[in-house]
Amino acid sequence: MSDPETPPLRVLLANPRGFCAGVVRAIDIVERALDRYGSPVYVRHEIVHNRHVVEKLRRKGAVFVDDLSEIPAGAMTVFSAHGVARSVVEEAATRSLPVLDATCPLVTKVHVQGRRYAKSGRTLVLIGHAGHAEVVGTIGQIDAPIHLVSTVHDVAALPLDRDTQIAYITQTTLSVDDTRGIIAALNERFDDVQGPNVSEICYATQNRQTAARDLARSSDLLIVVGAKNSSNSSRLREIGDEMGVPSYLVDDGDGVDPAWLDGVATVGVTAGASAPDELVDSVIAALRALRPVEVDQLDGAEENISFSLPAALREPRQAAAAE
């Protein structure tokens, strides 16, 4: 129980935080599919990297599978927001599975860029993390060899001549700040490098990282709400650590350790792009159970972006407007 005589704990909320437009669209696709076609709806891999979101959809009738072979013939199928390889798309077509593609449009944009660069004859470099679902999908979407780099040291180790014509693309959960050094290393190592303008890298990732830095400057402690397997959530925690602020990644309020608050006057709270507001609320509730709490929100970038749903799920009026 909190002591009423204890000075209030100031809780600062990052802005923006939590769901991005791509995540909203992906979840909406699963929910609308359940409403329209009934359960079960099969989703290949986690729709987004958040256990709470996945469990909530599972309770509504979504079934999450690792492989298309687990999906019965004719069952409604959804591809996750991270995107899938062409081989998965082709397998679904071969099995005549009805598919709703929840791939984030910004991820699809990376696929298109990569194919364009490969068609022009350039050697492709993908800046990203090995094994991440988006990286696996991107590599499988492009019919050309791809060199994956995660660090400046990886650039130095590329088995390519200096005069190789290079084009780079990036994992969308990396920000301008994450990729700047690697892009600079590519330009230093090779004579001819092309790539997307840094402003084209995912707006949501950059906005949340900028907000996390602003938050860390004003906080004694940083709590990031998000899943351990969420790349963008983990990066937010790393930013706090880099700025010298004790930083922790929690799934929800149950992950808050009372010992973290010793000597702390201001706690900054933010959330990864796949974490819903209700989980932020649970963290605030956990803090409130320990100390009196005053909640403020920082100013930040306004996000008014939304992505359209697949045509099969649009209301008739929305479909007509889109056409």
Side-chain angles (χ1 to χ4, degrees), residues 177 205-215 217 236 239:
D177 295 326
T205 298
Q206 184 61 46
N207 286 349
R208 279 151 190 73
Q209 291 191 11
T210 298
R213 287 189 174 85
D214 292 342
L215 194 62
R217 293 187 187 99
L236 294 178
I239 286 172

Side-chain angles (χ1 to χ4, degrees), residues 135-156:
V135 167
V136 173
T138 297
I139 291 173
Q141 277 282 337
I142 300 169
D143 297 326
I146 296 179
H147 299 271
L148 179 64
V149 299
S150 301
T151 67
V152 170
H153 298 296
D154 292 340
V155 174

Side-chain angles (χ1 to χ4, degrees), residues 86-160:
R86 276 183 171 174
S87 60
V88 176
V89 177
E90 291 164 359
E91 181 184 352
T94 298
R95 294 192 56 207
S96 299
L97 293 175
V99 170
L100 295 168
D101 190 354
T103 301
C104 174
L106 296 181
V107 173
T108 300
K109 183 178 181 180
V110 172
H111 298 168
V112 172
Q113 289 172 331
R115 287 194 286 268
R116 187 177 70 245
Y117 288 135
K119 188 175 181 180
S120 72
R122 291 187 171 268
T123 298
L124 275 178
V125 173
L126 170 58
I127 303 172
H129 299 304
H132 188 279
E134 182 185 329
V135 167
V136 173
T138 297
I139 291 173
Q141 277 282 337
I142 300 169
D143 297 326
I146 296 179
H147 299 271
L148 179 64
V149 299
S150 301
T151 67
V152 170
H153 298 296
D154 292 340
V155 174
L158 286 171
L160 301 170

Side-chain angles (χ1 to χ4, degrees), residues 185-263:
L186 287 169
N187 280 295
E188 184 175 341
R189 168 88 196 274
F190 300 102
D191 296 326
D192 188 350
V193 179
Q194 289 186 8
N197 188 291
V198 290
S199 65
E200 296 181 37
I201 296 175
C202 177
Y203 76 95
T205 298
Q206 184 61 46
N207 286 349
R208 279 151 190 73
Q209 291 191 11
T210 298
R213 287 189 174 85
D214 292 342
L215 194 62
R217 293 187 187 99
S218 303
S219 304
D220 305 312
L221 168 74
L222 183 65
I223 296 177
V224 179
V225 184
K228 301 296 188 294
N229 63 337
S230 166
S231 175
N232 72 87
S233 299
S234 296
R235 182 65 185 122
L236 294 178
R237 183 199 60 76
E238 291 169 0
I239 286 172
D241 283 342
E242 289 168 4
M243 296 185 67
V245 178
S247 302
Y248 301 94
L249 178 62
V250 301
D251 284 328
D252 51 36
D254 290 340
V256 174
D257 186 340
W260 297 345
L261 302 184
D262 290 347

